[in-house]
Amino acid sequence: MTSTLQKHSLSKSARIGVLYGGLSSEREVSLISGRNCYEALRRLGYENAELIDVDQQIARTLADRKVEVAYIALHGKYGEDGCIQGLLELMGVPYTGCRVAASALTMNKALTKSVLKDAGLPVIDSVVIKAGTVNGKPVEIGLSYPVMVKPINEGSSIGMSKVDKPEDLKDALKTAFKYADEVMVEQYVFGKSLTVGVVEVDGQPKVTPILELRPTKSEWYDLEAKYTEGGTEFILPAELSEEVTRAIQDATLKAHVAAGCRGMSRIDFVVDSDNKFYILEINTIPGMTPLSDLPAQAKAMGIDYDQLVEYILNTAVN
């Protein structure tokens, strides 16, 4: 490791590779996140920061460009699931955010739910269905309708469907199986969609204000609502009682720790009309686009976009 990189400090001349794009179904979102993070690093004075579109030759590219630190702005498979993290470990390249185990764990919705449940945190009843097990047979899920159907290891609501009646389940499963060999069918909970961020500041995790997401054109917070201008109304802070707010923020920190996260995370919740809340999933590399949640949450606690990027960068060496 060169003199530009030392534990707990990072020289402005360090060679930083912003890893973006990638091979997942979330590539287009990652391209926006990565470019935004790269531009922030350049504004911050990191003169040797460069964008690297991740492909199957990424190990050779990292070596050829003598990358000293990897800033991971990838979303989904091969970027958020421990794959790129494992490669960087093997190469001895420090990188931002969660390590291999937490990345792999949180990418799998069922495993995440199991860990959270063991930690005493509230999760929704669900079942996992494997590809090839529903050929021509009625699908018994033991849940009441409506339900949500989710590929077990995708993000950005890709491949997800809300199913209101049993006869529509097979089509929803067929769609989800295009993205994963295992699919989670989860009880649908009517209520507010919430998300809460965690950002490590000087090594200490800080929980952001709670953001409520109100889709304006769709029934639930789907792909269109997430990435279409005007598709979602952002309520920040969420309209909740102090007691519920405190309980959800406490659960957020506990979930972050239980899953072994570090650097940052964004944890999604739903809260019903009785103020009972449930954790839906943990995102270890939240979007950093102009419409993304974490930058808005950070801003609400006094951390601007560039500061947020630098806090995330520092997780590579702290």
Side-chain angles (χ1 to χ4, degrees):
M1 199 172 291
T2 70
S3 59
T4 58
L5 179 62
Q6 297 176 354
K7 192 72 171 174
H8 306 304
S9 66
L10 191 62
S11 166
K12 296 288 186 179
S13 62
R15 298 190 63 84
I16 302 169
V18 178
L19 308 188
Y20 80 141
L23 305 168
S24 82
S25 56
E26 297 182 70
R27 173 179 170 80
E28 295 305 315
V29 178
S30 174
L31 289 172
I32 301 170
S33 289
R35 180 159 292 279
N36 285 353
C37 293
Y38 163 77
E39 290 172 353
L41 289 170
R42 295 304 295 257
R43 287 192 298 269
L44 289 162
Y46 292 96
E47 57 198 49
N48 290 320
E50 60 178 315
L51 283 165
I52 298 177
D53 194 345
V54 173
D55 59 17
Q56 292 175 328
Q57 307 304 316
I58 183 59
R60 181 178 302 168
T61 301
L62 291 169
D64 289 347
R65 299 193 187 180
K66 297 180 172 58
V67 169
E68 295 179 280
V69 180
Y71 189 109
I72 304 177
L74 297 161
H75 306 310
K77 291 180 182 177
Y78 312 118
E80 200 167 355
D81 59 0
C83 288
I84 193 71
Q85 290 82 0
L87 174 65
L88 292 166
E89 294 270 1
L90 284 169
M91 296 184 69
V93 177
Y95 58 90
T96 55
C98 290
R99 297 323 191 217
V100 177
S103 299
L105 168 69
T106 54
M107 195 66 184
N108 185 299
K109 293 177 174 63
L111 292 178
T112 301
K113 185 171 288 193
S114 178
V115 167
L116 295 177
K117 189 174 182 179
D118 286 346
L121 293 163
V123 295
I124 302 172
D125 290 341
S126 61
V127 296
V128 174
I129 299 175
K130 297 181 183 294
T133 62
V134 295
N135 300 331
K137 296 182 291 187
V139 182
E140 297 294 337
I141 56 174
L143 303 170
S144 57
Y145 286 82
V147 296
M148 293 299 299
V149 176
K150 308 176 178 183
I152 208 162
N153 56 0
E154 282 288 348
S156 291
S157 301
I158 290 169
M160 282 177 55
S161 306
K162 179 174 177 281
V163 180
D164 294 309
K165 49 188 186 296
E167 52 266 37
D168 294 335
L169 180 59
K170 281 191 176 180
D171 284 344
L173 288 172
K174 185 177 179 181
T175 297
F177 281 133
K178 293 177 183 177
Y179 300 95
D181 292 332
E182 292 184 313
V183 170
M184 174 182 285
V185 182
E186 184 176 71
Q187 190 77 60
Y188 182 77
V189 175
F190 293 90
K192 296 179 179 180
S193 294
L194 310 173
T195 187
V196 194
V198 178
V199 180
E200 286 192 11
V201 179
D202 298 326
Q204 296 299 314
K206 307 291 185 184
V207 180
T208 72
I210 301 171
L211 172 62
E212 180 184 345
L213 308 155
R214 294 182 185 172
T216 58
K217 301 174 183 177
S218 53
E219 184 180 1
W220 54 281
Y221 193 45
D222 59 9
L223 184 64
E224 182 179 359
K226 288 180 179 178
Y227 298 114
T228 302
E229 187 78 44
T232 301
E233 181 183 1
F234 288 65
I235 311 299
L236 184 63
E239 296 175 351
L240 302 165
S241 70
E242 285 187 24
E243 182 182 4
V244 173
T245 295
R246 194 161 47 247
I248 290 174
Q249 289 179 317
D250 287 347
T252 297
L253 185 55
K254 288 177 182 175
H256 179 88
V257 172
C261 297
R262 74 184 302 275
M264 61 177 169
S265 67
R266 202 198 73 236
I267 300 176
D268 298 339
F269 291 78
V270 61
V271 58
D272 67 18
S273 58
D274 294 323
N275 286 325
K276 188 172 183 180
F277 61 85
Y278 304 89
I279 298 176
L280 297 174
E281 62 181 86
I282 300 175
N283 304 273
T284 56
I285 307 182
M288 294 290 283
T289 77
L291 299 177
S292 293
D293 304 332
L294 187 64
Q297 293 165 313
K299 185 177 180 180
M301 61 190 298
I303 300 172
D304 67 27
Y305 190 93
D306 289 5
Q307 286 177 302
L308 176 61
V309 167
E310 191 156 40
Y311 283 141
I312 293 169
L313 174 65
N314 286 335
T315 67
V317 294
N318 288 324

